[in-house]
Amino acid sequence: MLFDTHVHLNADQFSEDLEQVIERAQNEGVETMVVVGFDKPTINKAMELVEHYDFLYAAIGWHPVDAIDMTDEDLQWIEELSSHQKVVAIGETGLDYHWDKSPKEIQQEVFRKQIRLAKKVRLPIIIHNREATQDIVDILKEEDAKEVGGIMHCFSGSPETAHECLEMNFLISLGGPVTFKNAKKPKEVAEEVPLEKLLIETDCPYLAPHPYRGKRNEPSYVKLVAEQIAELKGVSFEEVAETTTRNAKKLFGIN
Ligand code: NI
């Protein structure tokens, strides 16, 4: 059984054929998924989905690219929703220095506010990082995020950075890029990070694994991520599936 820890089934890309996408995932052994909302419409849609499907859970937060749009009322709203029993994490939040819609200082402030919220409501944090590793590590330390821990989502850093994150009580989640032929760092991370500290995800509809690279991603493809990790680690697919599912359930407090 597989656990896809990061899906955007709430995205418009799935509005036409969501039922079939979910069915294909279940046929490939995907047992549980966390639907990630990152702004008002996607949080609303995530909450709608988790009410409807018992195997879906929600993570709710504000994306760093849109940090400039987040109001105090939005944060308050996220806090209120976080007491819902199917909300299992705060995020995705973090820093994204690739896009300049939101200035760095505002991204950092909004990130800090969400870490404080996660600590207040006792939920793990899902981190989005793009070209901002050092600032993320510094802020997680300064805000003592270790208390709740969480996930480095679609981790693309070095094994050294991965170990720094493990020390802060964060798990490493690998997605489609680990299957790319030229993806050196994710493969090294898959080899070096203990299986007990790894999670798998698709981040669908983005970042489809090989051989679907460039196409719409979907949760059934998380199997390809697990197979790649098994090959790199020299363990069975079943062991990767079982261990990453156990890791995810423990972190999210499911069962
Ligand atoms: Ni995402």
Side-chain angles (χ1 to χ4, degrees):
M1 284 302 191
L2 297 158
F3 192 131
D4 189 341
T5 61
H6 199 112
V7 300
H8 298 287
L9 292 179
N10 46 353
D12 291 342
Q13 287 90 329
F14 295 112
S15 59
E16 300 287 311
D17 61 348
L18 183 65
E19 288 296 332
Q20 291 97 302
V21 167
I22 286 176
E23 203 181 303
R24 281 197 293 273
Q26 292 183 317
N27 289 341
E28 292 294 338
V30 183
E31 182 189 40
T32 317
M33 303 172 234
V34 173
V35 183
V36 180
F38 50 79
D39 62 10
K40 249 189 202 150
T42 59
I43 289 172
N44 276 323
K45 184 71 184 169
M47 297 309 293
E48 214 178 279
L49 290 173
V50 301
E51 292 282 353
H52 190 75
Y53 297 97
D54 58 356
F55 49 86
L56 297 183
Y57 293 83
I60 57 173
W62 210 269
H63 203 283
V65 170
D66 301 317
I68 197 164
D69 301 326
M70 193 189 81
T71 64
D72 288 344
E73 289 73 32
D74 293 327
L75 191 67
Q76 181 62 35
W77 176 63
I78 291 170
E79 179 172 346
E80 282 158 18
L81 284 179
S82 71
S83 64
H84 189 291
Q85 59 165 359
K86 295 197 83 182
V87 172
V88 293
I90 298 297
E92 54 189 293
T93 177
L95 300 173
D96 191 320
Y97 293 167
H98 184 75
W99 306 104
D100 55 11
K101 177 183 168 184
S102 300
K104 286 183 183 180
E105 302 69 41
I106 291 176
Q107 289 194 34
Q108 291 170 10
E109 194 49 40
V110 164
F111 181 32
R112 285 181 193 273
K113 282 179 179 171
Q114 292 181 80
I115 297 170
R116 289 170 200 160
L117 169 62
K119 288 169 70 178
K120 184 174 171 191
V121 300
R122 310 295 309 162
L123 286 175
I125 306 163
I126 296 180
I127 306 284
H128 170 104
N129 169 22
R130 195 160 178 197
E131 298 165 21
T133 303
Q134 195 53 55
D135 284 356
I136 285 193
V137 169
D138 290 347
I139 289 173
L140 289 175
K141 280 183 185 155
E142 283 165 24
E143 296 291 336
D144 201 19
K146 192 175 188 175
E147 228 180 80
V148 287
I151 301 176
M152 305 308 288
H153 138 64
C154 205
F155 187 79
S156 60
S158 65
E160 292 71 31
T161 307
H163 282 289
E164 222 176 333
C165 296
L166 296 183
E167 277 165 26
M168 292 190 295
N169 201 17
F170 277 75
L171 300 184
I172 304 297
S173 185
L174 294 172
V178 77
T179 67
F180 298 166
K181 290 206 164 55
N182 55 356
K184 195 166 163 271
K185 278 199 281 183
K187 289 187 200 295
E188 283 173 10
V189 166
E191 284 166 2
E192 290 189 31
V193 172
L195 196 51
E196 286 64 35
K197 301 292 181 188
L198 283 180
L199 300 170
I200 53 173
E201 64 168 87
T202 53
D203 197 21
C204 63
Y206 316 107
L207 291 170
H210 176 79
Y212 303 105
R213 192 172 182 177
K215 305 246 165 57
R216 183 185 72 167
N217 198 1
E218 60 171 68
S220 64
Y221 300 163
V222 81
K223 191 181 182 182
L224 299 165
V225 175
E227 283 172 351
Q228 178 70 79
I229 294 171
E231 194 186 317
L232 289 162
K233 281 196 155 338
V235 299
S236 68
F237 167 77
E238 288 73 22
E239 191 179 342
V240 173
E242 263 170 44
T243 309
T244 53
T245 295
R246 188 171 351 115
N247 298 343
K249 287 186 172 175
K250 189 177 162 207
L251 177 75
F252 293 126
I254 294 172
N255 287 0

